[in-house]
Amino acid sequence: MGNKKTIIVFSGDLDKAMAAFIIATGAAAMGDDVTMFFTFWGLNILRKAKKVQVRKDFLERMFGFMMPRGPEKLGLSKMNFGGLGAKMMRYIMKRKNVNTLTELMENAQALGVKIIACTMSMDVMGIKKEELIDGIDYAGVATYLGEADEANVNLFI
Amino acid sequence: MGNKKTIIVFSGDLDKAMAAFIIATGAAAMGDDVTMFFTFWGLNILRKAKKVQVRKDFLERMFGFMMPRGPEKLGLSKMNFGGLGAKMMRYIMKRKNVNTLTELMENAQALGVKIIACTMSMDVMGIKKEELIDGIDYAGVATYLGEADEANVNLFI
Amino acid sequence: MGNKKTIIVFSGDLDKAMAAFIIATGAAAMGDDVTMFFTFWGLNILRKAKKVQVRKDFLERMFGFMMPRGPEKLGLSKMNFGGLGAKMMRYIMKRKNVNTLTELMENAQALGVKIIACTMSMDVMGIKKEELIDGIDYAGVATYLGEADEANVNLFI
């Protein structure tokens, strides 16, 4: 029987998202029960690559337009150079046979990592359920706290 | 009886500060004992909005001038666009009836969240006690570690 | 007998690195068993100041050239202004008799803090063992998770 881990994914940067999923899949592969709670910019990681038709007001539409849609569009937290850094990082990782973020996310779901989108952040940023990947849960801070209370490792990324 | 939580608030960004206080007030509302330890840029969150007359040397004065004074002046960690992003975020949150950071901070104090300003960071950044909000404690890393040892969730934001 | 602490050092910023080492040395001085796991940009903190002759391909060489070499070259996460902010911070800390990052790192090693460089990140960023400081360990996420399971405080910085 493994332990429980939680990770709050606040950041929507490619490098931090990779770190989060490497830890999550590593722990899940070792038998741990892992919960990832996506909030603020972290929600962008869960967005579908294709535009989804949903009702949004003007500001929500603008926000949605400016924020990256899914793992293939994220930038680096440092040395991004308008996306060039992220491209270079993706190229290097492919050459070195490191799992892409998309693969890590699929692995995480296959390994039973629980992915939760923060409903309050979704409301603020105007992100709708239809825009996020399938097989995830929706909840708020109380759910996160309940999970964290049962875990022995809790990270904020 | 609740558990204990600690949060180191290193960041002085509006979005990260909100995340920190949403977690802190959420936990405190559920009966937890919460300690927030503000260090480096995080100290800016605790600054009073009005300039306070205190003795400072030239560099301290310059630092104080360049750093935001309190929750209403903080920027976003991403897409800030010289403050425009933060303004938009504040506008959206008001419209969606989400608590402002100022309200979250008041709630935190009302709920008994212990707010500690890191004295070493205050010294380095030239921030004086008179410049910070009332009702907070002052301590160093040893105090933080003592609190963290008693907690079951410890985050660095 | 102390407790165990782990810190993932993902960031390569001077201010965050200082926070990490202040916590680590503080805990170690109080008798705790501390493990720091350096990954992604955090590896830059462990680089030797002098260029080391190693075999690298073109991209690895470029990455190595663009990233800071060791604690004296790191920038601030905020208000860096092309290195000026970091210089000012270093100057202030010297004047206030705060330990430099280099001193904190030496203290950490003297106090028995275990420093681990993430081998997967080293591979991706093309950083070789010869380029990193002496007296450190090399391992992957499984080792981190094993250490974190035994610790009562786990931070991601």
Side-chain angles (χ1 to χ4, degrees), chain B residues 8 10 13 40-41 57 59-60 63 67 120 123-124 145 148-149 154 156, chain C residues 3 5 15-16 22-23 26-27 77-78 88 91-92 95-96 152-153:
Chain B
I8 295 179
F10 174 94
D13 298 317
F40 281 80
W41 316 107
D57 65 26
L59 276 177
E60 288 176 341
F63 244 119
M67 291 186 311
M120 202 202 86
D123 184 34
V124 167
L145 288 165
D149 270 339
N154 300 291
F156 182 99
Chain C
N3 299 300
K5 312 267 177 287
D15 42 356
K16 291 197 175 175
I22 287 166
I23 296 166
S77 67
K78 294 273 159 187
M88 205 170 116
Y91 172 77
I92 290 174
R95 256 193 10 174
K96 305 242 178 184
N152 71 337
V153 177

PDB file of all heavy atoms in Angstrom, chain B residues 8 10 13 40-41 57 59-60 63 67 120 123-124 145 148-149 154 156, chain C residues 3 5 15-16 22-23 26-27 77-78 88 91-92 95-96 152-153:
ATOM      1  N   ILE B   8       4.541  29.298   3.280  1.00  0.00           N
ATOM      2  CA  ILE B   8       5.529  30.354   3.077  1.00  0.00           C
ATOM      3  C   ILE B   8       5.066  31.157   1.878  1.00  0.00           C
ATOM      4  O   ILE B   8       4.866  30.598   0.795  1.00  0.00           O
ATOM      5  CB  ILE B   8       6.931  29.782   2.795  1.00  0.00           C
ATOM      6  CG1 ILE B   8       7.464  29.021   4.005  1.00  0.00           C
ATOM      7  CG2 ILE B   8       7.899  30.911   2.399  1.00  0.00           C
ATOM      8  CD1 ILE B   8       8.842  28.408   3.794  1.00  0.00           C
ATOM      9  N   PHE B  10       6.389  33.589  -0.477  1.00  0.00           N
ATOM     10  CA  PHE B  10       7.615  34.202  -1.008  1.00  0.00           C
ATOM     11  C   PHE B  10       7.261  35.195  -2.111  1.00  0.00           C
ATOM     12  O   PHE B  10       7.890  36.224  -2.264  1.00  0.00           O
ATOM     13  CB  PHE B  10       8.514  33.095  -1.573  1.00  0.00           C
ATOM     14  CG  PHE B  10       9.743  33.595  -2.272  1.00  0.00           C
ATOM     15  CD1 PHE B  10      10.939  33.719  -1.585  1.00  0.00           C
ATOM     16  CD2 PHE B  10       9.708  33.935  -3.616  1.00  0.00           C
ATOM     17  CE1 PHE B  10      12.084  34.183  -2.235  1.00  0.00           C
ATOM     18  CE2 PHE B  10      10.842  34.410  -4.264  1.00  0.00           C
ATOM     19  CZ  PHE B  10      12.034  34.526  -3.568  1.00  0.00           C
ATOM     20  N   ASP B  13       3.114  38.372  -5.998  1.00  0.00           N
ATOM     21  CA  ASP B  13       2.182  38.521  -7.118  1.00  0.00           C
ATOM     22  C   ASP B  13       0.749  38.373  -6.633  1.00  0.00           C
ATOM     23  O   ASP B  13       0.451  37.549  -5.764  1.00  0.00           O
ATOM     24  CB  ASP B  13       2.464  37.467  -8.190  1.00  0.00           C
ATOM     25  CG  ASP B  13       3.846  37.612  -8.788  1.00  0.00           C
ATOM     26  OD1 ASP B  13       4.243  38.752  -9.068  1.00  0.00           O
ATOM     27  OD2 ASP B  13       4.533  36.585  -8.944  1.00  0.00           O
ATOM     28  N   PHE B  40      10.695  37.754   1.554  1.00  0.00           N
ATOM     29  CA  PHE B  40      11.070  38.410   0.287  1.00  0.00           C
ATOM     30  C   PHE B  40       9.904  39.228  -0.295  1.00  0.00           C
ATOM     31  O   PHE B  40       9.289  39.996   0.414  1.00  0.00           O
ATOM     32  CB  PHE B  40      11.587  37.379  -0.725  1.00  0.00           C
ATOM     33  CG  PHE B  40      13.020  36.987  -0.461  1.00  0.00           C
ATOM     34  CD1 PHE B  40      13.328  36.054   0.519  1.00  0.00           C
ATOM     35  CD2 PHE B  40      14.075  37.556  -1.184  1.00  0.00           C
ATOM     36  CE1 PHE B  40      14.645  35.690   0.773  1.00  0.00           C
ATOM     37  CE2 PHE B  40      15.399  37.190  -0.932  1.00  0.00           C
ATOM     38  CZ  PHE B  40      15.665  36.258   0.044  1.00  0.00           C
ATOM     39  N   TRP B  41       9.550  39.006  -1.555  1.00  0.00           N
ATOM     40  CA  TRP B  41       8.520  39.811  -2.224  1.00  0.00           C
ATOM     41  C   TRP B  41       7.178  39.669  -1.536  1.00  0.00           C
ATOM     42  O   TRP B  41       6.326  40.556  -1.653  1.00  0.00           O
ATOM     43  CB  TRP B  41       8.408  39.402  -3.696  1.00  0.00           C
ATOM     44  CG  TRP B  41       9.741  39.233  -4.354  1.00  0.00           C
ATOM     45  CD1 TRP B  41      10.337  38.051  -4.704  1.00  0.00           C
ATOM     46  CD2 TRP B  41      10.676  40.261  -4.715  1.00  0.00           C
ATOM     47  NE1 TRP B  41      11.566  38.280  -5.258  1.00  0.00           N
ATOM     48  CE2 TRP B  41      11.809  39.632  -5.282  1.00  0.00           C
ATOM     49  CE3 TRP B  41      10.656  41.650  -4.622  1.00  0.00           C
ATOM     50  CZ2 TRP B  41      12.912  40.332  -5.746  1.00  0.00           C
ATOM     51  CZ3 TRP B  41      11.760  42.352  -5.079  1.00  0.00           C
ATOM     52  CH2 TRP B  41      12.871  41.699  -5.625  1.00  0.00           C
ATOM     53  N   ASP B  57      17.872  54.303   4.671  1.00  0.00           N
ATOM     54  CA  ASP B  57      18.998  54.821   3.891  1.00  0.00           C
ATOM     55  C   ASP B  57      18.593  54.869   2.417  1.00  0.00           C
ATOM     56  O   ASP B  57      17.482  54.504   2.040  1.00  0.00           O
ATOM     57  CB  ASP B  57      20.268  53.995   4.129  1.00  0.00           C
ATOM     58  CG  ASP B  57      20.148  52.561   3.637  1.00  0.00           C
ATOM     59  OD1 ASP B  57      19.347  52.301   2.717  1.00  0.00           O
ATOM     60  OD2 ASP B  57      20.837  51.689   4.185  1.00  0.00           O
ATOM     61  N   LEU B  59      19.354  53.196  -0.401  1.00  0.00           N
ATOM     62  CA  LEU B  59      18.954  51.979  -1.113  1.00  0.00           C
ATOM     63  C   LEU B  59      17.622  51.447  -0.614  1.00  0.00           C
ATOM     64  O   LEU B  59      16.795  50.978  -1.390  1.00  0.00           O
ATOM     65  CB  LEU B  59      20.032  50.900  -0.958  1.00  0.00           C
ATOM     66  CG  LEU B  59      21.200  50.989  -1.939  1.00  0.00           C
ATOM     67  CD1 LEU B  59      22.227  49.912  -1.627  1.00  0.00           C
ATOM     68  CD2 LEU B  59      20.719  50.850  -3.385  1.00  0.00           C
ATOM     69  N   GLU B  60      17.416  51.502   0.701  1.00  0.00           N
ATOM     70  CA  GLU B  60      16.150  51.046   1.274  1.00  0.00           C
ATOM     71  C   GLU B  60      14.985  51.886   0.740  1.00  0.00           C
ATOM     72  O   GLU B  60      13.915  51.370   0.458  1.00  0.00           O
ATOM     73  CB  GLU B  60      16.201  51.149   2.802  1.00  0.00           C
ATOM     74  CG  GLU B  60      17.102  50.104   3.439  1.00  0.00           C
ATOM     75  CD  GLU B  60      17.233  50.284   4.954  1.00  0.00           C
ATOM     76  OE1 GLU B  60      16.937  51.386   5.456  1.00  0.00           O
ATOM     77  OE2 GLU B  60      17.644  49.325   5.615  1.00  0.00           O
ATOM     78  N   PHE B  63      14.368  50.824  -2.888  1.00  0.00           N
ATOM     79  CA  PHE B  63      13.661  49.534  -2.884  1.00  0.00           C
ATOM     80  C   PHE B  63      12.190  49.765  -2.532  1.00  0.00           C
ATOM     81  O   PHE B  63      11.283  49.280  -3.199  1.00  0.00           O
ATOM     82  CB  PHE B  63      14.281  48.602  -1.829  1.00  0.00           C
ATOM     83  CG  PHE B  63      14.904  47.372  -2.406  1.00  0.00           C
ATOM     84  CD1 PHE B  63      16.248  47.113  -2.255  1.00  0.00           C
ATOM     85  CD2 PHE B  63      14.131  46.447  -3.102  1.00  0.00           C
ATOM     86  CE1 PHE B  63      16.837  45.978  -2.787  1.00  0.00           C
ATOM     87  CE2 PHE B  63      14.700  45.304  -3.625  1.00  0.00           C
ATOM     88  CZ  PHE B  63      16.055  45.070  -3.473  1.00  0.00           C
ATOM     89  N   MET B  67       8.839  48.888  -4.999  1.00  0.00           N
ATOM     90  CA  MET B  67       8.002  47.722  -4.705  1.00  0.00           C
ATOM     91  C   MET B  67       6.567  48.140  -4.379  1.00  0.00           C
ATOM     92  O   MET B  67       6.344  49.191  -3.786  1.00  0.00           O
ATOM     93  CB  MET B  67       8.600  46.933  -3.548  1.00  0.00           C
ATOM     94  CG  MET B  67       9.917  46.266  -3.960  1.00  0.00           C
ATOM     95  SD  MET B  67      10.559  45.185  -2.670  1.00  0.00           S
ATOM     96  CE  MET B  67      10.473  46.231  -1.221  1.00  0.00           C
ATOM     97  N   MET B 120      14.379  38.721   8.756  1.00  0.00           N
ATOM     98  CA  MET B 120      15.601  38.824   7.959  1.00  0.00           C
ATOM     99  C   MET B 120      15.324  39.485   6.611  1.00  0.00           C
ATOM    100  O   MET B 120      16.066  40.360   6.175  1.00  0.00           O
ATOM    101  CB  MET B 120      16.231  37.448   7.736  1.00  0.00           C
ATOM    102  CG  MET B 120      17.707  37.549   7.412  1.00  0.00           C
ATOM    103  SD  MET B 120      18.294  36.063   6.537  1.00  0.00           S
ATOM    104  CE  MET B 120      17.879  36.500   4.844  1.00  0.00           C
ATOM    105  N   ASP B 123      14.822  43.171   7.052  1.00  0.00           N
ATOM    106  CA  ASP B 123      16.106  43.850   7.203  1.00  0.00           C
ATOM    107  C   ASP B 123      16.755  44.066   5.837  1.00  0.00           C
ATOM    108  O   ASP B 123      17.193  45.171   5.501  1.00  0.00           O
ATOM    109  CB  ASP B 123      17.011  43.008   8.110  1.00  0.00           C
ATOM    110  CG  ASP B 123      18.319  43.707   8.393  1.00  0.00           C
ATOM    111  OD1 ASP B 123      18.323  44.957   8.493  1.00  0.00           O
ATOM    112  OD2 ASP B 123      19.356  43.024   8.516  1.00  0.00           O
ATOM    113  N   VAL B 124      16.805  43.005   5.019  1.00  0.00           N
ATOM    114  CA  VAL B 124      17.448  43.099   3.707  1.00  0.00           C
ATOM    115  C   VAL B 124      16.729  44.124   2.824  1.00  0.00           C
ATOM    116  O   VAL B 124      17.359  44.935   2.148  1.00  0.00           O
ATOM    117  CB  VAL B 124      17.485  41.722   3.003  1.00  0.00           C
ATOM    118  CG1 VAL B 124      17.844  41.864   1.529  1.00  0.00           C
ATOM    119  CG2 VAL B 124      18.468  40.790   3.708  1.00  0.00           C
ATOM    120  N   LEU B 145      10.238  26.907  11.015  1.00  0.00           N
ATOM    121  CA  LEU B 145      10.523  25.464  11.066  1.00  0.00           C
ATOM    122  C   LEU B 145       9.800  24.794  12.228  1.00  0.00           C
ATOM    123  O   LEU B 145       9.318  23.665  12.101  1.00  0.00           O
ATOM    124  CB  LEU B 145      12.032  25.233  11.147  1.00  0.00           C
ATOM    125  CG  LEU B 145      12.784  25.529   9.834  1.00  0.00           C
ATOM    126  CD1 LEU B 145      14.287  25.634  10.083  1.00  0.00           C
ATOM    127  CD2 LEU B 145      12.487  24.461   8.790  1.00  0.00           C
ATOM    128  N   ALA B 148       6.253  24.424  11.086  1.00  0.00           N
ATOM    129  CA  ALA B 148       6.139  23.420  10.018  1.00  0.00           C
ATOM    130  C   ALA B 148       6.234  22.008  10.588  1.00  0.00           C
ATOM    131  O   ALA B 148       5.582  21.082  10.098  1.00  0.00           O
ATOM    132  CB  ALA B 148       7.213  23.644   8.956  1.00  0.00           C
ATOM    133  N   ASP B 149       7.056  21.849  11.614  1.00  0.00           N
ATOM    134  CA  ASP B 149       7.208  20.525  12.231  1.00  0.00           C
ATOM    135  C   ASP B 149       5.902  20.015  12.834  1.00  0.00           C
ATOM    136  O   ASP B 149       5.685  18.812  12.944  1.00  0.00           O
ATOM    137  CB  ASP B 149       8.288  20.567  13.320  1.00  0.00           C
ATOM    138  CG  ASP B 149       9.660  20.245  12.771  1.00  0.00           C
ATOM    139  OD1 ASP B 149       9.729  19.618  11.689  1.00  0.00           O
ATOM    140  OD2 ASP B 149      10.664  20.608  13.407  1.00  0.00           O
ATOM    141  N   ASN B 154       2.512  21.711   4.348  1.00  0.00           N
ATOM    142  CA  ASN B 154       3.414  22.861   4.308  1.00  0.00           C
ATOM    143  C   ASN B 154       3.672  23.235   2.860  1.00  0.00           C
ATOM    144  O   ASN B 154       4.212  22.437   2.101  1.00  0.00           O
ATOM    145  CB  ASN B 154       4.756  22.505   4.974  1.00  0.00           C
ATOM    146  CG  ASN B 154       4.599  22.110   6.428  1.00  0.00           C
ATOM    147  OD1 ASN B 154       4.275  22.929   7.271  1.00  0.00           O
ATOM    148  ND2 ASN B 154       4.800  20.829   6.717  1.00  0.00           N
ATOM    149  N   PHE B 156       5.021  26.159  -0.170  1.00  0.00           N
ATOM    150  CA  PHE B 156       5.875  27.305  -0.497  1.00  0.00           C
ATOM    151  C   PHE B 156       5.283  27.927  -1.751  1.00  0.00           C
ATOM    152  O   PHE B 156       5.200  27.294  -2.791  1.00  0.00           O
ATOM    153  CB  PHE B 156       7.307  26.832  -0.766  1.00  0.00           C
ATOM    154  CG  PHE B 156       8.280  27.957  -1.065  1.00  0.00           C
ATOM    155  CD1 PHE B 156       9.129  28.442  -0.066  1.00  0.00           C
ATOM    156  CD2 PHE B 156       8.365  28.516  -2.331  1.00  0.00           C
ATOM    157  CE1 PHE B 156      10.037  29.469  -0.343  1.00  0.00           C
ATOM    158  CE2 PHE B 156       9.263  29.551  -2.605  1.00  0.00           C
ATOM    159  CZ  PHE B 156      10.103  30.016  -1.601  1.00  0.00           C
TER     160      PHE B 156
ATOM    161  N   ASN C   3      13.855  15.803  12.612  1.00  0.00           N
ATOM    162  CA  ASN C   3      12.987  15.282  11.576  1.00  0.00           C
ATOM    163  C   ASN C   3      13.697  15.360  10.244  1.00  0.00           C
ATOM    164  O   ASN C   3      14.840  15.784  10.160  1.00  0.00           O
ATOM    165  CB  ASN C   3      11.710  16.116  11.529  1.00  0.00           C
ATOM    166  CG  ASN C   3      10.952  16.053  12.828  1.00  0.00           C
ATOM    167  OD1 ASN C   3      10.556  14.986  13.256  1.00  0.00           O
ATOM    168  ND2 ASN C   3      10.770  17.209  13.475  1.00  0.00           N
ATOM    169  N   LYS C   5      13.558  16.796   6.202  1.00  0.00           N
ATOM    170  CA  LYS C   5      12.955  17.785   5.310  1.00  0.00           C
ATOM    171  C   LYS C   5      13.486  17.554   3.901  1.00  0.00           C
ATOM    172  O   LYS C   5      14.653  17.210   3.725  1.00  0.00           O
ATOM    173  CB  LYS C   5      13.355  19.213   5.711  1.00  0.00           C
ATOM    174  CG  LYS C   5      13.225  19.556   7.188  1.00  0.00           C
ATOM    175  CD  LYS C   5      11.904  20.184   7.499  1.00  0.00           C
ATOM    176  CE  LYS C   5      11.749  20.447   8.991  1.00  0.00           C
ATOM    177  NZ  LYS C   5      11.528  19.197   9.784  1.00  0.00           N
ATOM    178  N   ASP C  15      17.106  34.876  -5.482  1.00  0.00           N
ATOM    179  CA  ASP C  15      16.266  35.056  -4.305  1.00  0.00           C
ATOM    180  C   ASP C  15      15.634  33.739  -3.840  1.00  0.00           C
ATOM    181  O   ASP C  15      15.614  33.433  -2.640  1.00  0.00           O
ATOM    182  CB  ASP C  15      15.197  36.147  -4.540  1.00  0.00           C
ATOM    183  CG  ASP C  15      14.548  36.070  -5.924  1.00  0.00           C
ATOM    184  OD1 ASP C  15      14.966  35.221  -6.728  1.00  0.00           O
ATOM    185  OD2 ASP C  15      13.621  36.852  -6.191  1.00  0.00           O
ATOM    186  N   LYS C  16      15.156  32.950  -4.792  1.00  0.00           N
ATOM    187  CA  LYS C  16      14.545  31.674  -4.419  1.00  0.00           C
ATOM    188  C   LYS C  16      15.598  30.684  -3.926  1.00  0.00           C
ATOM    189  O   LYS C  16      15.344  29.912  -2.995  1.00  0.00           O
ATOM    190  CB  LYS C  16      13.771  31.100  -5.607  1.00  0.00           C
ATOM    191  CG  LYS C  16      12.528  31.912  -5.945  1.00  0.00           C
ATOM    192  CD  LYS C  16      11.572  31.126  -6.816  1.00  0.00           C
ATOM    193  CE  LYS C  16      10.285  31.910  -7.026  1.00  0.00           C
ATOM    194  NZ  LYS C  16       9.379  31.222  -7.960  1.00  0.00           N
ATOM    195  N   ILE C  22      18.427  29.025   3.072  1.00  0.00           N
ATOM    196  CA  ILE C  22      18.192  29.530   4.432  1.00  0.00           C
ATOM    197  C   ILE C  22      17.329  28.531   5.204  1.00  0.00           C
ATOM    198  O   ILE C  22      17.603  28.209   6.364  1.00  0.00           O
ATOM    199  CB  ILE C  22      17.543  30.934   4.389  1.00  0.00           C
ATOM    200  CG1 ILE C  22      18.590  31.963   3.945  1.00  0.00           C
ATOM    201  CG2 ILE C  22      16.969  31.316   5.755  1.00  0.00           C
ATOM    202  CD1 ILE C  22      18.021  33.316   3.547  1.00  0.00           C
ATOM    203  N   ILE C  23      16.306  27.999   4.542  1.00  0.00           N
ATOM    204  CA  ILE C  23      15.474  26.976   5.190  1.00  0.00           C
ATOM    205  C   ILE C  23      16.292  25.709   5.446  1.00  0.00           C
ATOM    206  O   ILE C  23      16.252  25.142   6.541  1.00  0.00           O
ATOM    207  CB  ILE C  23      14.240  26.648   4.309  1.00  0.00           C
ATOM    208  CG1 ILE C  23      13.337  27.879   4.170  1.00  0.00           C
ATOM    209  CG2 ILE C  23      13.459  25.472   4.888  1.00  0.00           C
ATOM    210  CD1 ILE C  23      12.301  27.762   3.062  1.00  0.00           C
ATOM    211  N   GLY C  26      18.933  26.283   8.129  1.00  0.00           N
ATOM    212  CA  GLY C  26      18.227  26.468   9.394  1.00  0.00           C
ATOM    213  C   GLY C  26      17.786  25.134   9.974  1.00  0.00           C
ATOM    214  O   GLY C  26      17.989  24.848  11.158  1.00  0.00           O
ATOM    215  N   ALA C  27      17.186  24.302   9.128  1.00  0.00           N
ATOM    216  CA  ALA C  27      16.706  23.004   9.586  1.00  0.00           C
ATOM    217  C   ALA C  27      17.872  22.100   9.983  1.00  0.00           C
ATOM    218  O   ALA C  27      17.826  21.423  11.026  1.00  0.00           O
ATOM    219  CB  ALA C  27      15.873  22.343   8.489  1.00  0.00           C
ATOM    220  N   SER C  77      14.273  36.801  -9.344  1.00  0.00           N
ATOM    221  CA  SER C  77      13.028  36.394  -9.995  1.00  0.00           C
ATOM    222  C   SER C  77      12.162  37.604 -10.346  1.00  0.00           C
ATOM    223  O   SER C  77      11.295  37.526 -11.203  1.00  0.00           O
ATOM    224  CB  SER C  77      12.250  35.433  -9.097  1.00  0.00           C
ATOM    225  OG  SER C  77      11.787  36.091  -7.938  1.00  0.00           O
ATOM    226  N   LYS C  78      12.403  38.712  -9.682  1.00  0.00           N
ATOM    227  CA  LYS C  78      11.668  39.963  -9.922  1.00  0.00           C
ATOM    228  C   LYS C  78      12.664  41.115  -9.911  1.00  0.00           C
ATOM    229  O   LYS C  78      13.658  41.052  -9.186  1.00  0.00           O
ATOM    230  CB  LYS C  78      10.680  40.244  -8.771  1.00  0.00           C
ATOM    231  CG  LYS C  78       9.568  39.272  -8.645  1.00  0.00           C
ATOM    232  CD  LYS C  78       8.409  39.672  -9.513  1.00  0.00           C
ATOM    233  CE  LYS C  78       7.543  38.458  -9.757  1.00  0.00           C
ATOM    234  NZ  LYS C  78       6.490  38.711 -10.709  1.00  0.00           N
ATOM    235  N   MET C  88      22.473  44.748  -6.860  1.00  0.00           N
ATOM    236  CA  MET C  88      22.039  45.589  -5.742  1.00  0.00           C
ATOM    237  C   MET C  88      21.735  44.710  -4.525  1.00  0.00           C
ATOM    238  O   MET C  88      22.153  45.017  -3.405  1.00  0.00           O
ATOM    239  CB  MET C  88      20.783  46.336  -6.181  1.00  0.00           C
ATOM    240  CG  MET C  88      20.556  47.629  -5.446  1.00  0.00           C
ATOM    241  SD  MET C  88      19.202  48.548  -6.267  1.00  0.00           S
ATOM    242  CE  MET C  88      17.995  48.532  -4.926  1.00  0.00           C
ATOM    243  N   TYR C  91      24.901  43.485  -2.972  1.00  0.00           N
ATOM    244  CA  TYR C  91      25.562  44.586  -2.286  1.00  0.00           C
ATOM    245  C   TYR C  91      24.908  44.837  -0.923  1.00  0.00           C
ATOM    246  O   TYR C  91      25.576  44.947   0.109  1.00  0.00           O
ATOM    247  CB  TYR C  91      25.503  45.839  -3.170  1.00  0.00           C
ATOM    248  CG  TYR C  91      25.977  47.089  -2.479  1.00  0.00           C
ATOM    249  CD1 TYR C  91      27.345  47.336  -2.301  1.00  0.00           C
ATOM    250  CD2 TYR C  91      25.069  48.021  -1.989  1.00  0.00           C
ATOM    251  CE1 TYR C  91      27.780  48.480  -1.664  1.00  0.00           C
ATOM    252  CE2 TYR C  91      25.494  49.170  -1.352  1.00  0.00           C
ATOM    253  CZ  TYR C  91      26.855  49.401  -1.186  1.00  0.00           C
ATOM    254  OH  TYR C  91      27.282  50.528  -0.543  1.00  0.00           O
ATOM    255  N   ILE C  92      23.568  44.900  -0.925  1.00  0.00           N
ATOM    256  CA  ILE C  92      22.823  45.145   0.313  1.00  0.00           C
ATOM    257  C   ILE C  92      23.090  44.041   1.326  1.00  0.00           C
ATOM    258  O   ILE C  92      23.350  44.294   2.503  1.00  0.00           O
ATOM    259  CB  ILE C  92      21.302  45.230   0.018  1.00  0.00           C
ATOM    260  CG1 ILE C  92      20.986  46.511  -0.753  1.00  0.00           C
ATOM    261  CG2 ILE C  92      20.499  45.187   1.321  1.00  0.00           C
ATOM    262  CD1 ILE C  92      19.542  46.603  -1.207  1.00  0.00           C
ATOM    263  N   ARG C  95      26.450  44.349   2.927  1.00  0.00           N
ATOM    264  CA  ARG C  95      26.445  45.439   3.902  1.00  0.00           C
ATOM    265  C   ARG C  95      25.715  45.077   5.185  1.00  0.00           C
ATOM    266  O   ARG C  95      26.050  45.546   6.272  1.00  0.00           O
ATOM    267  CB  ARG C  95      25.792  46.683   3.293  1.00  0.00           C
ATOM    268  CG  ARG C  95      26.801  47.726   2.891  1.00  0.00           C
ATOM    269  CD  ARG C  95      26.173  49.039   2.591  1.00  0.00           C
ATOM    270  NE  ARG C  95      24.750  49.098   2.965  1.00  0.00           N
ATOM    271  CZ  ARG C  95      24.022  50.191   2.897  1.00  0.00           C
ATOM    272  NH1 ARG C  95      24.565  51.307   2.456  1.00  0.00           N
ATOM    273  NH2 ARG C  95      22.742  50.175   3.239  1.00  0.00           N
ATOM    274  N   LYS C  96      24.661  44.255   5.060  1.00  0.00           N
ATOM    275  CA  LYS C  96      23.876  43.876   6.236  1.00  0.00           C
ATOM    276  C   LYS C  96      24.418  42.611   6.885  1.00  0.00           C
ATOM    277  O   LYS C  96      23.768  42.036   7.773  1.00  0.00           O
ATOM    278  CB  LYS C  96      22.411  43.650   5.818  1.00  0.00           C
ATOM    279  CG  LYS C  96      21.794  44.827   5.101  1.00  0.00           C
ATOM    280  CD  LYS C  96      20.614  45.408   5.832  1.00  0.00           C
ATOM    281  CE  LYS C  96      20.074  46.605   5.077  1.00  0.00           C
ATOM    282  NZ  LYS C  96      18.992  47.294   5.742  1.00  0.00           N
ATOM    283  N   ASN C 152       8.846  15.112   7.030  1.00  0.00           N
ATOM    284  CA  ASN C 152       7.597  15.713   7.510  1.00  0.00           C
ATOM    285  C   ASN C 152       7.354  17.093   6.916  1.00  0.00           C
ATOM    286  O   ASN C 152       6.291  17.686   7.108  1.00  0.00           O
ATOM    287  CB  ASN C 152       7.548  15.749   9.044  1.00  0.00           C
ATOM    288  CG  ASN C 152       8.522  16.761   9.629  1.00  0.00           C
ATOM    289  OD1 ASN C 152       9.502  17.130   8.981  1.00  0.00           O
ATOM    290  ND2 ASN C 152       8.269  17.209  10.844  1.00  0.00           N
ATOM    291  N   VAL C 153       8.342  17.631   6.196  1.00  0.00           N
ATOM    292  CA  VAL C 153       8.158  18.888   5.471  1.00  0.00           C
ATOM    293  C   VAL C 153       8.773  18.722   4.085  1.00  0.00           C
ATOM    294  O   VAL C 153       9.948  18.354   3.975  1.00  0.00           O
ATOM    295  CB  VAL C 153       8.834  20.082   6.198  1.00  0.00           C
ATOM    296  CG1 VAL C 153       8.689  21.368   5.374  1.00  0.00           C
ATOM    297  CG2 VAL C 153       8.232  20.300   7.589  1.00  0.00           C
TER     298      VAL C 153
END
